[in-house]
PDB file of all heavy atoms in Angstrom:
ATOM      1  N   GLU O  17     -65.930 -26.768  49.242  1.00 59.00           N
ATOM      2  CA  GLU O  17     -66.316 -28.163  49.378  1.00 59.00           C
ATOM      3  C   GLU O  17     -67.567 -28.492  48.564  1.00 59.00           C
ATOM      4  O   GLU O  17     -67.993 -29.646  48.510  1.00 59.00           O
ATOM      5  CB  GLU O  17     -66.579 -28.484  50.848  1.00 59.00           C
ATOM      6  CG  GLU O  17     -65.343 -28.348  51.726  1.00 59.00           C
ATOM      7  CD  GLU O  17     -65.642 -28.693  53.170  1.00 59.00           C
ATOM      8  OE1 GLU O  17     -66.820 -28.949  53.478  1.00 59.00           O
ATOM      9  OE2 GLU O  17     -64.704 -28.706  53.986  1.00 59.00           O
ATOM     10  N   THR O  18     -68.146 -27.477  47.941  1.00 55.00           N
ATOM     11  CA  THR O  18     -69.366 -27.692  47.151  1.00 55.00           C
ATOM     12  C   THR O  18     -69.094 -27.689  45.652  1.00 55.00           C
ATOM     13  O   THR O  18     -69.936 -28.101  44.874  1.00 55.00           O
ATOM     14  CB  THR O  18     -70.410 -26.606  47.470  1.00 55.00           C
ATOM     15  OG1 THR O  18     -69.853 -25.310  47.159  1.00 55.00           O
ATOM     16  CG2 THR O  18     -70.787 -26.645  48.934  1.00 55.00           C
ATOM     17  N   VAL O  19     -67.906 -27.182  45.254  1.00 54.00           N
ATOM     18  CA  VAL O  19     -67.549 -27.163  43.833  1.00 54.00           C
ATOM     19  C   VAL O  19     -66.426 -28.169  43.631  1.00 54.00           C
ATOM     20  O   VAL O  19     -65.251 -27.823  43.628  1.00 54.00           O
ATOM     21  CB  VAL O  19     -67.115 -25.756  43.376  1.00 54.00           C
ATOM     22  CG1 VAL O  19     -66.879 -25.752  41.867  1.00 54.00           C
ATOM     23  CG2 VAL O  19     -68.161 -24.728  43.756  1.00 54.00           C
ATOM     24  N   LEU O  20     -66.761 -29.437  43.524  1.00 52.00           N
ATOM     25  CA  LEU O  20     -65.767 -30.489  43.430  1.00 52.00           C
ATOM     26  C   LEU O  20     -65.324 -30.680  41.985  1.00 52.00           C
ATOM     27  O   LEU O  20     -66.102 -30.517  41.048  1.00 52.00           O
ATOM     28  CB  LEU O  20     -66.342 -31.805  43.981  1.00 52.00           C
ATOM     29  CG  LEU O  20     -66.796 -31.765  45.445  1.00 52.00           C
ATOM     30  CD1 LEU O  20     -67.384 -33.116  45.847  1.00 52.00           C
ATOM     31  CD2 LEU O  20     -65.649 -31.388  46.363  1.00 52.00           C
ATOM     32  N   GLY O  21     -64.058 -31.035  41.816  1.00 54.00           N
ATOM     33  CA  GLY O  21     -63.529 -31.315  40.497  1.00 54.00           C
ATOM     34  C   GLY O  21     -63.188 -30.074  39.684  1.00 54.00           C
ATOM     35  O   GLY O  21     -62.824 -30.193  38.522  1.00 54.00           O
ATOM     36  N   ARG O  22     -63.320 -28.889  40.261  1.00 60.00           N
ATOM     37  CA  ARG O  22     -63.015 -27.671  39.519  1.00 60.00           C
ATOM     38  C   ARG O  22     -61.876 -26.897  40.175  1.00 60.00           C
ATOM     39  O   ARG O  22     -61.756 -25.692  40.001  1.00 60.00           O
ATOM     40  CB  ARG O  22     -64.249 -26.770  39.439  1.00 60.00           C
ATOM     41  CG  ARG O  22     -65.432 -27.372  38.735  1.00 60.00           C
ATOM     42  CD  ARG O  22     -65.095 -27.769  37.298  1.00 60.00           C
ATOM     43  NE  ARG O  22     -64.669 -26.646  36.511  1.00 60.00           N
ATOM     44  CZ  ARG O  22     -65.510 -25.812  35.881  1.00 60.00           C
ATOM     45  NH1 ARG O  22     -66.802 -26.003  35.969  1.00 60.00           N
ATOM     46  NH2 ARG O  22     -65.037 -24.815  35.172  1.00 60.00           N
ATOM     47  N   GLU O  23     -61.025 -27.602  40.934  1.00 64.00           N
ATOM     48  CA  GLU O  23     -59.924 -26.931  41.596  1.00 64.00           C
ATOM     49  C   GLU O  23     -58.995 -26.246  40.596  1.00 64.00           C
ATOM     50  O   GLU O  23     -58.439 -25.183  40.872  1.00 64.00           O
ATOM     51  CB  GLU O  23     -59.115 -27.924  42.452  1.00 64.00           C
ATOM     52  CG  GLU O  23     -59.893 -28.543  43.610  1.00 64.00           C
ATOM     53  CD  GLU O  23     -60.685 -29.763  43.172  1.00 64.00           C
ATOM     54  OE1 GLU O  23     -60.655 -30.064  41.968  1.00 64.00           O
ATOM     55  OE2 GLU O  23     -61.324 -30.394  44.028  1.00 64.00           O
ATOM     56  N   ASN O  24     -58.823 -26.867  39.435  1.00 73.00           N
ATOM     57  CA  ASN O  24     -57.917 -26.313  38.436  1.00 73.00           C
ATOM     58  C   ASN O  24     -58.484 -25.086  37.740  1.00 73.00           C
ATOM     59  O   ASN O  24     -57.795 -24.447  36.944  1.00 73.00           O
ATOM     60  CB  ASN O  24     -57.566 -27.379  37.392  1.00 73.00           C
ATOM     61  CG  ASN O  24     -56.638 -28.441  37.960  1.00 73.00           C
ATOM     62  OD1 ASN O  24     -56.279 -28.382  39.131  1.00 73.00           O
ATOM     63  ND2 ASN O  24     -56.264 -29.411  37.164  1.00 73.00           N
ATOM     64  N   LEU O  25     -59.752 -24.770  38.017  1.00 77.00           N
ATOM     65  CA  LEU O  25     -60.305 -23.521  37.510  1.00 77.00           C
ATOM     66  C   LEU O  25     -59.533 -22.330  38.058  1.00 77.00           C
ATOM     67  O   LEU O  25     -59.444 -21.285  37.406  1.00 77.00           O
ATOM     68  CB  LEU O  25     -61.783 -23.409  37.893  1.00 77.00           C
ATOM     69  CG  LEU O  25     -62.495 -22.099  37.535  1.00 77.00           C
ATOM     70  CD1 LEU O  25     -62.503 -21.884  36.027  1.00 77.00           C
ATOM     71  CD2 LEU O  25     -63.922 -22.098  38.078  1.00 77.00           C
ATOM     72  N   ALA O  26     -58.945 -22.502  39.252  1.00 78.00           N
ATOM     73  CA  ALA O  26     -58.154 -21.428  39.837  1.00 78.00           C
ATOM     74  C   ALA O  26     -56.985 -21.044  38.936  1.00 78.00           C
ATOM     75  O   ALA O  26     -56.612 -19.870  38.840  1.00 78.00           O
ATOM     76  CB  ALA O  26     -57.642 -21.843  41.216  1.00 78.00           C
ATOM     77  N   GLY O  27     -56.384 -22.037  38.260  1.00 79.00           N
ATOM     78  CA  GLY O  27     -55.288 -21.741  37.343  1.00 79.00           C
ATOM     79  C   GLY O  27     -55.737 -20.900  36.167  1.00 79.00           C
ATOM     80  O   GLY O  27     -55.019 -19.993  35.726  1.00 79.00           O
ATOM     81  N   ALA O  28     -56.932 -21.186  35.644  1.00 80.00           N
ATOM     82  CA  ALA O  28     -57.464 -20.386  34.534  1.00 80.00           C
ATOM     83  C   ALA O  28     -57.759 -18.957  34.987  1.00 80.00           C
ATOM     84  O   ALA O  28     -57.500 -17.995  34.258  1.00 80.00           O
ATOM     85  CB  ALA O  28     -58.717 -21.045  33.972  1.00 80.00           C
ATOM     86  N   LEU O  29     -58.311 -18.821  36.199  1.00 85.00           N
ATOM     87  CA  LEU O  29     -58.567 -17.483  36.737  1.00 85.00           C
ATOM     88  C   LEU O  29     -57.257 -16.730  36.953  1.00 85.00           C
ATOM     89  O   LEU O  29     -57.170 -15.517  36.680  1.00 85.00           O
ATOM     90  CB  LEU O  29     -59.327 -17.590  38.057  1.00 85.00           C
ATOM     91  CG  LEU O  29     -60.755 -18.131  37.978  1.00 85.00           C
ATOM     92  CD1 LEU O  29     -61.313 -18.374  39.373  1.00 85.00           C
ATOM     93  CD2 LEU O  29     -61.654 -17.171  37.211  1.00 85.00           C
ATOM     94  N   ALA O  30     -56.247 -17.439  37.448  1.00 83.00           N
ATOM     95  CA  ALA O  30     -54.938 -16.813  37.627  1.00 83.00           C
ATOM     96  C   ALA O  30     -54.368 -16.350  36.295  1.00 83.00           C
ATOM     97  O   ALA O  30     -53.756 -15.273  36.206  1.00 83.00           O
ATOM     98  CB  ALA O  30     -53.983 -17.787  38.308  1.00 83.00           C
ATOM     99  N   LEU O  31     -54.567 -17.135  35.255  1.00 82.00           N
ATOM    100  CA  LEU O  31     -54.105 -16.744  33.929  1.00 82.00           C
ATOM    101  C   LEU O  31     -54.790 -15.463  33.473  1.00 82.00           C
ATOM    102  O   LEU O  31     -54.148 -14.555  32.927  1.00 82.00           O
ATOM    103  CB  LEU O  31     -54.372 -17.870  32.923  1.00 82.00           C
ATOM    104  CG  LEU O  31     -54.047 -17.553  31.456  1.00 82.00           C
ATOM    105  CD1 LEU O  31     -52.577 -17.213  31.303  1.00 82.00           C
ATOM    106  CD2 LEU O  31     -54.415 -18.735  30.564  1.00 82.00           C
ATOM    107  N   GLY O  32     -56.112 -15.371  33.716  1.00 84.00           N
ATOM    108  CA  GLY O  32     -56.821 -14.146  33.358  1.00 84.00           C
ATOM    109  C   GLY O  32     -56.293 -12.943  34.106  1.00 84.00           C
ATOM    110  O   GLY O  32     -56.121 -11.855  33.528  1.00 84.00           O
ATOM    111  N   MET O  33     -55.992 -13.115  35.399  1.00 86.00           N
ATOM    112  CA  MET O  33     -55.430 -12.016  36.177  1.00 86.00           C
ATOM    113  C   MET O  33     -54.055 -11.621  35.665  1.00 86.00           C
ATOM    114  O   MET O  33     -53.724 -10.431  35.574  1.00 86.00           O
ATOM    115  CB  MET O  33     -55.330 -12.404  37.656  1.00 86.00           C
ATOM    116  CG  MET O  33     -56.640 -12.419  38.403  1.00 86.00           C
ATOM    117  SD  MET O  33     -56.392 -12.489  40.188  1.00 86.00           S
ATOM    118  CE  MET O  33     -55.652 -10.886  40.487  1.00 86.00           C
ATOM    119  N   ILE O  34     -53.239 -12.624  35.333  1.00 84.00           N
ATOM    120  CA  ILE O  34     -51.888 -12.342  34.841  1.00 84.00           C
ATOM    121  C   ILE O  34     -51.944 -11.547  33.541  1.00 84.00           C
ATOM    122  O   ILE O  34     -51.163 -10.613  33.323  1.00 84.00           O
ATOM    123  CB  ILE O  34     -51.114 -13.659  34.650  1.00 84.00           C
ATOM    124  CG1 ILE O  34     -50.801 -14.273  36.019  1.00 84.00           C
ATOM    125  CG2 ILE O  34     -49.820 -13.428  33.880  1.00 84.00           C
ATOM    126  CD1 ILE O  34     -50.201 -15.656  35.947  1.00 84.00           C
ATOM    127  N   VAL O  35     -52.877 -11.901  32.666  1.00 84.00           N
ATOM    128  CA  VAL O  35     -53.003 -11.183  31.397  1.00 84.00           C
ATOM    129  C   VAL O  35     -53.375  -9.720  31.645  1.00 84.00           C
ATOM    130  O   VAL O  35     -52.769  -8.794  31.070  1.00 84.00           O
ATOM    131  CB  VAL O  35     -54.062 -11.870  30.501  1.00 84.00           C
ATOM    132  CG1 VAL O  35     -54.373 -11.002  29.289  1.00 84.00           C
ATOM    133  CG2 VAL O  35     -53.576 -13.234  30.067  1.00 84.00           C
ATOM    134  N   VAL O  36     -54.360  -9.482  32.529  1.00 88.00           N
ATOM    135  CA  VAL O  36     -54.786  -8.109  32.814  1.00 88.00           C
ATOM    136  C   VAL O  36     -53.642  -7.301  33.429  1.00 88.00           C
ATOM    137  O   VAL O  36     -53.332  -6.181  32.992  1.00 88.00           O
ATOM    138  CB  VAL O  36     -56.007  -8.116  33.755  1.00 88.00           C
ATOM    139  CG1 VAL O  36     -56.342  -6.690  34.202  1.00 88.00           C
ATOM    140  CG2 VAL O  36     -57.209  -8.746  33.070  1.00 88.00           C
ATOM    141  N   VAL O  37     -52.995  -7.868  34.447  1.00 85.00           N
ATOM    142  CA  VAL O  37     -51.916  -7.154  35.122  1.00 85.00           C
ATOM    143  C   VAL O  37     -50.730  -6.948  34.181  1.00 85.00           C
ATOM    144  O   VAL O  37     -50.080  -5.901  34.204  1.00 85.00           O
ATOM    145  CB  VAL O  37     -51.481  -7.913  36.395  1.00 85.00           C
ATOM    146  CG1 VAL O  37     -50.257  -7.259  37.026  1.00 85.00           C
ATOM    147  CG2 VAL O  37     -52.625  -7.950  37.394  1.00 85.00           C
ATOM    148  N   ALA O  38     -50.437  -7.939  33.325  1.00 85.00           N
ATOM    149  CA  ALA O  38     -49.330  -7.799  32.385  1.00 85.00           C
ATOM    150  C   ALA O  38     -49.582  -6.663  31.400  1.00 85.00           C
ATOM    151  O   ALA O  38     -48.668  -5.882  31.086  1.00 85.00           O
ATOM    152  CB  ALA O  38     -49.111  -9.110  31.634  1.00 85.00           C
ATOM    153  N   VAL O  39     -50.812  -6.545  30.908  1.00 88.00           N
ATOM    154  CA  VAL O  39     -51.148  -5.449  29.993  1.00 88.00           C
ATOM    155  C   VAL O  39     -50.994  -4.109  30.691  1.00 88.00           C
ATOM    156  O   VAL O  39     -50.397  -3.158  30.145  1.00 88.00           O
ATOM    157  CB  VAL O  39     -52.582  -5.618  29.456  1.00 88.00           C
ATOM    158  CG1 VAL O  39     -53.015  -4.371  28.689  1.00 88.00           C
ATOM    159  CG2 VAL O  39     -52.678  -6.843  28.558  1.00 88.00           C
ATOM    160  N   VAL O  40     -51.501  -4.013  31.921  1.00 89.00           N
ATOM    161  CA  VAL O  40     -51.420  -2.754  32.662  1.00 89.00           C
ATOM    162  C   VAL O  40     -49.965  -2.384  32.954  1.00 89.00           C
ATOM    163  O   VAL O  40     -49.555  -1.232  32.788  1.00 89.00           O
ATOM    164  CB  VAL O  40     -52.229  -2.850  33.967  1.00 89.00           C
ATOM    165  CG1 VAL O  40     -52.001  -1.613  34.835  1.00 89.00           C
ATOM    166  CG2 VAL O  40     -53.714  -2.995  33.659  1.00 89.00           C
ATOM    167  N   MET O  41     -49.165  -3.352  33.389  1.00 85.00           N
ATOM    168  CA  MET O  41     -47.775  -3.049  33.731  1.00 85.00           C
ATOM    169  C   MET O  41     -46.938  -2.758  32.487  1.00 85.00           C
ATOM    170  O   MET O  41     -45.958  -1.998  32.562  1.00 85.00           O
ATOM    171  CB  MET O  41     -47.169  -4.211  34.516  1.00 85.00           C
ATOM    172  CG  MET O  41     -47.820  -4.440  35.881  1.00 85.00           C
ATOM    173  SD  MET O  41     -47.974  -2.927  36.877  1.00 85.00           S
ATOM    174  CE  MET O  41     -46.257  -2.487  37.121  1.00 85.00           C
ATOM    175  N   THR O  42     -47.287  -3.336  31.349  1.00 88.00           N
ATOM    176  CA  THR O  42     -46.605  -2.975  30.101  1.00 88.00           C
ATOM    177  C   THR O  42     -46.891  -1.527  29.735  1.00 88.00           C
ATOM    178  O   THR O  42     -45.976  -0.769  29.354  1.00 88.00           O
ATOM    179  CB  THR O  42     -47.050  -3.907  28.963  1.00 88.00           C
ATOM    180  OG1 THR O  42     -46.730  -5.261  29.297  1.00 88.00           O
ATOM    181  CG2 THR O  42     -46.355  -3.532  27.659  1.00 88.00           C
ATOM    182  N   MET O  43     -48.158  -1.131  29.867  1.00 88.00           N
ATOM    183  CA  MET O  43     -48.505   0.269  29.632  1.00 88.00           C
ATOM    184  C   MET O  43     -47.777   1.174  30.626  1.00 88.00           C
ATOM    185  O   MET O  43     -47.294   2.252  30.267  1.00 88.00           O
ATOM    186  CB  MET O  43     -50.023   0.450  29.748  1.00 88.00           C
ATOM    187  CG  MET O  43     -50.822  -0.288  28.707  1.00 88.00           C
ATOM    188  SD  MET O  43     -52.614  -0.253  29.033  1.00 88.00           S
ATOM    189  CE  MET O  43     -52.914   1.512  29.053  1.00 88.00           C
ATOM    190  N   TYR O  44     -47.684   0.732  31.884  1.00 85.00           N
ATOM    191  CA  TYR O  44     -46.978   1.506  32.910  1.00 85.00           C
ATOM    192  C   TYR O  44     -45.510   1.703  32.532  1.00 85.00           C
ATOM    193  O   TYR O  44     -44.973   2.811  32.656  1.00 85.00           O
ATOM    194  CB  TYR O  44     -47.074   0.787  34.256  1.00 85.00           C
ATOM    195  CG  TYR O  44     -46.145   1.328  35.316  1.00 85.00           C
ATOM    196  CD1 TYR O  44     -46.441   2.501  35.998  1.00 85.00           C
ATOM    197  CD2 TYR O  44     -44.968   0.663  35.633  1.00 85.00           C
ATOM    198  CE1 TYR O  44     -45.585   3.003  36.968  1.00 85.00           C
ATOM    199  CE2 TYR O  44     -44.108   1.149  36.593  1.00 85.00           C
ATOM    200  CZ  TYR O  44     -44.423   2.312  37.267  1.00 85.00           C
ATOM    201  OH  TYR O  44     -43.569   2.813  38.216  1.00 85.00           O
ATOM    202  N   ALA O  45     -44.855   0.632  32.051  1.00 84.00           N
ATOM    203  CA  ALA O  45     -43.447   0.725  31.682  1.00 84.00           C
ATOM    204  C   ALA O  45     -43.243   1.691  30.514  1.00 84.00           C
ATOM    205  O   ALA O  45     -42.288   2.484  30.508  1.00 84.00           O
ATOM    206  CB  ALA O  45     -42.904  -0.662  31.330  1.00 84.00           C
ATOM    207  N   LEU O  46     -44.154   1.637  29.535  1.00 84.00           N
ATOM    208  CA  LEU O  46     -44.033   2.529  28.381  1.00 84.00           C
ATOM    209  C   LEU O  46     -44.238   3.984  28.787  1.00 84.00           C
ATOM    210  O   LEU O  46     -43.483   4.879  28.352  1.00 84.00           O
ATOM    211  CB  LEU O  46     -45.046   2.129  27.308  1.00 84.00           C
ATOM    212  CG  LEU O  46     -44.845   0.746  26.667  1.00 84.00           C
ATOM    213  CD1 LEU O  46     -45.983   0.430  25.710  1.00 84.00           C
ATOM    214  CD2 LEU O  46     -43.502   0.695  25.948  1.00 84.00           C
ATOM    215  N   VAL O  47     -45.249   4.241  29.609  1.00 83.00           N
ATOM    216  CA  VAL O  47     -45.511   5.617  30.045  1.00 83.00           C
ATOM    217  C   VAL O  47     -44.384   6.120  30.934  1.00 83.00           C
ATOM    218  O   VAL O  47     -43.950   7.273  30.823  1.00 83.00           O
ATOM    219  CB  VAL O  47     -46.864   5.688  30.781  1.00 83.00           C
ATOM    220  CG1 VAL O  47     -47.081   7.073  31.370  1.00 83.00           C
ATOM    221  CG2 VAL O  47     -48.001   5.349  29.823  1.00 83.00           C
ATOM    222  N   GLN O  48     -43.883   5.252  31.832  1.00 78.00           N
ATOM    223  CA  GLN O  48     -42.807   5.650  32.726  1.00 78.00           C
ATOM    224  C   GLN O  48     -41.525   5.955  31.961  1.00 78.00           C
ATOM    225  O   GLN O  48     -40.763   6.860  32.338  1.00 78.00           O
ATOM    226  CB  GLN O  48     -42.547   4.544  33.756  1.00 78.00           C
ATOM    227  CG  GLN O  48     -41.563   4.924  34.849  1.00 78.00           C
ATOM    228  CD  GLN O  48     -42.059   6.079  35.703  1.00 78.00           C
ATOM    229  OE1 GLN O  48     -43.266   6.295  35.820  1.00 78.00           O
ATOM    230  NE2 GLN O  48     -41.144   6.835  36.265  1.00 78.00           N
ATOM    231  N   ARG O  49     -41.297   5.236  30.881  1.00 79.00           N
ATOM    232  CA  ARG O  49     -40.124   5.513  30.048  1.00 79.00           C
ATOM    233  C   ARG O  49     -40.221   6.899  29.416  1.00 79.00           C
ATOM    234  O   ARG O  49     -39.231   7.631  29.340  1.00 79.00           O
ATOM    235  CB  ARG O  49     -40.002   4.452  28.952  1.00 79.00           C
ATOM    236  CG  ARG O  49     -38.774   4.608  28.063  1.00 79.00           C
ATOM    237  CD  ARG O  49     -38.767   3.563  26.977  1.00 79.00           C
ATOM    238  NE  ARG O  49     -38.829   2.209  27.529  1.00 79.00           N
ATOM    239  CZ  ARG O  49     -38.932   1.118  26.786  1.00 79.00           C
ATOM    240  NH1 ARG O  49     -39.002   1.219  25.458  1.00 79.00           N
ATOM    241  NH2 ARG O  49     -38.994  -0.070  27.350  1.00 79.00           N
ATOM    242  N   ARG O  50     -41.422   7.264  29.016  1.00 73.00           N
ATOM    243  CA  ARG O  50     -41.609   8.603  28.450  1.00 73.00           C
ATOM    244  C   ARG O  50     -41.434   9.674  29.533  1.00 73.00           C
ATOM    245  O   ARG O  50     -40.839  10.729  29.294  1.00 73.00           O
ATOM    246  CB  ARG O  50     -42.999   8.718  27.824  1.00 73.00           C
ATOM    247  CG  ARG O  50     -43.289  10.083  27.213  1.00 73.00           C
ATOM    248  CD  ARG O  50     -44.666  10.131  26.563  1.00 73.00           C
ATOM    249  NE  ARG O  50     -44.946  11.431  25.991  1.00 73.00           N
ATOM    250  CZ  ARG O  50     -44.574  11.821  24.793  1.00 73.00           C
ATOM    251  NH1 ARG O  50     -43.903  10.996  24.022  1.00 73.00           N
ATOM    252  NH2 ARG O  50     -44.868  13.026  24.334  1.00 73.00           N
ATOM    253  N   ALA O  51     -41.945   9.405  30.731  1.00 68.00           N
ATOM    254  CA  ALA O  51     -41.820  10.367  31.823  1.00 68.00           C
ATOM    255  C   ALA O  51     -40.365  10.534  32.243  1.00 68.00           C
ATOM    256  O   ALA O  51     -39.969  11.626  32.694  1.00 68.00           O
ATOM    257  CB  ALA O  51     -42.671   9.928  33.020  1.00 68.00           C
ATOM    258  N   ALA O  52     -39.561   9.474  32.116  1.00 69.00           N
ATOM    259  CA  ALA O  52     -38.164   9.537  32.551  1.00 69.00           C
ATOM    260  C   ALA O  52     -37.323  10.440  31.660  1.00 69.00           C
ATOM    261  O   ALA O  52     -36.233  10.856  32.056  1.00 69.00           O
ATOM    262  CB  ALA O  52     -37.574   8.136  32.593  1.00 69.00           C
ATOM    263  N   ARG O  53     -37.817  10.790  30.478  1.00 68.00           N
ATOM    264  CA  ARG O  53     -37.033  11.627  29.564  1.00 68.00           C
ATOM    265  C   ARG O  53     -36.757  13.002  30.164  1.00 68.00           C
ATOM    266  O   ARG O  53     -35.631  13.491  30.153  1.00 68.00           O
ATOM    267  CB  ARG O  53     -37.770  11.775  28.234  1.00 68.00           C
ATOM    268  CG  ARG O  53     -37.932  10.476  27.448  1.00 68.00           C
ATOM    269  CD  ARG O  53     -38.712  10.724  26.166  1.00 68.00           C
ATOM    270  NE  ARG O  53     -38.918   9.494  25.416  1.00 68.00           N
ATOM    271  CZ  ARG O  53     -39.625   9.425  24.292  1.00 68.00           C
ATOM    272  NH1 ARG O  53     -40.182  10.514  23.782  1.00 68.00           N
ATOM    273  NH2 ARG O  53     -39.765   8.259  23.681  1.00 68.00           N
ATOM    274  N   TRP O  54     -37.805  13.634  30.711  1.00 61.00           N
ATOM    275  CA  TRP O  54     -37.602  14.966  31.250  1.00 61.00           C
ATOM    276  C   TRP O  54     -37.099  14.918  32.684  1.00 61.00           C
ATOM    277  O   TRP O  54     -36.443  15.847  33.160  1.00 61.00           O
ATOM    278  CB  TRP O  54     -38.888  15.790  31.173  1.00 61.00           C
ATOM    279  CG  TRP O  54     -39.986  15.326  32.078  1.00 61.00           C
ATOM    280  CD1 TRP O  54     -40.980  14.454  31.782  1.00 61.00           C
ATOM    281  CD2 TRP O  54     -40.196  15.721  33.436  1.00 61.00           C
ATOM    282  NE1 TRP O  54     -41.802  14.267  32.865  1.00 61.00           N
ATOM    283  CE2 TRP O  54     -41.348  15.034  33.894  1.00 61.00           C
ATOM    284  CE3 TRP O  54     -39.539  16.585  34.309  1.00 61.00           C
ATOM    285  CZ2 TRP O  54     -41.838  15.187  35.175  1.00 61.00           C
ATOM    286  CZ3 TRP O  54     -40.026  16.742  35.587  1.00 61.00           C
ATOM    287  CH2 TRP O  54     -41.150  16.049  36.013  1.00 61.00           C
TER     288      TRP O  54
END
């Protein structure tokens, strides 16, 4: 209630989180694909 007019900042923060998690999960998929070989 003290930070008025910045509600949409949450969307920008969510975008930052999505980028970080997307990078990590892409790395996870690549590593897991290599592990699945053996």
Side-chain angles (χ1 to χ4, degrees):
E17 296 181 356
T18 59
V19 185
L20 301 178
R22 299 301 300 275
E23 296 85 357
N24 288 1
L25 175 62
L29 293 172
L31 175 60
M33 285 194 67
I34 290 172
V35 170
V36 173
V37 174
V39 171
V40 172
M41 295 311 297
T42 300
M43 296 171 58
Y44 168 78
L46 295 175
V47 174
Q48 187 63 26
R49 183 183 303 175
R50 180 178 180 85
R53 295 178 182 177
W54 68 268

